[in-house]
Amino acid sequence: MRKFPIKGLSALTVSAMIITGCGNDTEEGSGNENASESEEQNQESSNEESQSNEQDQSDGEEAASEEHDHDHSHGQDAESERIYNGFFYNEEVEDRPLSDWAGDWQSVYPYLEDGTLDEVFAHKAEEDGEMTQEEYKEYYEEGYQTNVGEITIKEDGTVTFIKNGEEMTGDYVSGGHEILEYEAGNRGVRFIFELEEGDDGMPEYIQFSDHSIAPTDAGHYHLYWGDDSDELLEEVENWPTYYPSDMDGEEITHEMIAH
């Protein structure tokens, strides 16, 4: 594992908790310990019907909640939220195939430049107050900046960069993963892929970070690329970010605000 200064994005959005254990049991009170056995039986009988109704209502609400959260897998439960926020155990991390990121992707940087994402920065400023809207925009300006506007990734490991209107393609194979530790106590995982063969200009390494730590289809991702893998692992200030090409600026803005 590598230890680095915290990536600014994690420091601003991750709660300052230190995960020292997982799945610890807690005990709850068992009710009124002084109640007689007769009273308890009467209470159980009288509440049986209401409990049944409450269970039906709870089941319906739970089903609605699951449907609402279907497109936001990292927010469905406490465990996935914990992992999304960067608190996980080494044994939970699994290598991932490049097919997890298969699809057509667009950089969000143009939406920052044209003001579409201003609503996101305003929301962040209002929500946590750690920076102003203008300061957030300046921070993400550095983070999102890139001249690779589009990326296509195929199931077979073929990656195409569209850079300043020109296409470059390479074939990549898995190079494993690296766990990074940040000063705030949270962690991240970079999934590394190495160039097997490709056009001139394609990087020797690409590294994905998308808040997931095991095989799953990505909804968006941050991508790092270059010819020195160790040097890339040190990068925590520039993290070009990509969303599906079929999403428009309004949809991306909504998705960012929701998370």
Side-chain angles (χ1 to χ4, degrees):
M1 293 181 293
R2 294 167 177 262
K3 293 187 177 181
F4 299 105
I6 182 167
K7 174 180 173 181
L9 181 62
S10 298
L12 296 169
T13 60
V14 178
S15 60
M17 62 179 178
I18 303 297
I19 300 295
T20 58
C22 184
N24 293 329
D25 293 332
T26 58
E27 295 185 355
E28 297 181 357
S30 59
N32 184 355
E33 296 181 355
N34 294 324
S36 68
E37 181 178 354
S38 175
E39 291 172 335
E40 289 176 351
Q41 291 173 343
N42 290 336
Q43 182 177 357
E44 289 176 0
S45 176
S46 63
N47 289 337
E48 181 177 351
E49 182 177 353
S50 62
Q51 286 175 342
S52 176
N53 293 335
E54 289 172 357
Q55 182 63 48
D56 290 341
Q57 180 180 1
S58 176
D59 290 344
E61 292 172 348
E62 182 178 352
S65 176
E66 288 177 355
E67 180 179 356
H68 176 74
D69 288 339
H70 178 70
D71 293 331
H72 312 298
S73 59
H74 53 261
Q76 285 187 7
D77 52 44
E79 180 178 333
S80 56
E81 183 176 357
R82 166 179 64 82
I83 292 173
Y84 182 85
N85 286 335
F87 297 97
F88 53 82
Y89 297 108
N90 290 354
E91 57 267 27
E92 293 179 299
V93 181
E94 301 177 29
D95 281 333
R96 299 171 63 184
L98 190 57
S99 58
D100 274 6
W101 298 276
D104 297 321
W105 305 90
Q106 61 176 320
S107 166
V108 300
Y109 186 54
Y111 294 120
L112 181 147
E113 291 187 296
D114 68 13
T116 300
L117 300 184
D118 285 354
E119 184 180 350
V120 177
F121 310 137
H123 173 77
K124 288 182 177 294
E126 181 179 354
E127 186 177 54
D128 59 37
E130 294 188 18
M131 290 194 291
T132 66
Q133 177 180 343
E134 292 74 19
E135 288 171 334
Y136 269 117
K137 186 169 185 176
E138 181 179 349
Y139 168 74
Y140 282 94
E141 166 79 25
E142 182 176 8
Y144 289 160
Q145 189 171 22
T146 183
N147 57 10
V148 177
E150 299 174 69
I151 297 176
T152 296
I153 301 173
K154 296 183 178 180
E155 298 276 349
D156 64 2
T158 302
V159 178
T160 299
F161 280 9
I162 301 178
K163 180 179 180 181
N164 298 324
E166 297 184 3
E167 291 189 5
M168 301 178 295
T169 299
D171 296 326
Y172 287 83
V173 295
S174 176
H177 66 267
E178 190 78 28
I179 298 174
L180 309 183
E181 294 192 0
Y182 303 118
E183 288 181 353
N186 63 315
R187 308 197 294 170
V189 181
R190 297 275 185 92
F191 294 93
I192 304 168
F193 294 87
E194 304 174 1
L195 180 66
E196 193 171 44
E197 60 179 2
D199 298 333
D200 290 342
M202 287 300 287
E204 290 294 324
Y205 298 93
I206 56 178
Q207 298 178 357
F208 292 86
S209 174
D210 62 3
H211 311 286
S212 296
I213 63 173
T216 186
D217 292 339
H220 78 280
Y221 59 87
H222 313 292
L223 190 66
Y224 308 77
W225 62 85
D227 295 332
D228 187 323
S229 185
D230 287 338
E231 184 176 299
L232 285 177
L233 292 171
E234 301 280 350
E235 176 60 74
V236 292
E237 295 180 353
N238 177 238
W239 16 270
T241 300
Y242 295 84
Y243 276 77
S245 293
D246 60 2
M247 294 180 70
D248 61 26
E250 182 178 351
E251 291 172 324
I252 291 173
T253 296
H254 175 78
E255 182 75 8
M256 288 181 172
I257 290 176
H259 302 99

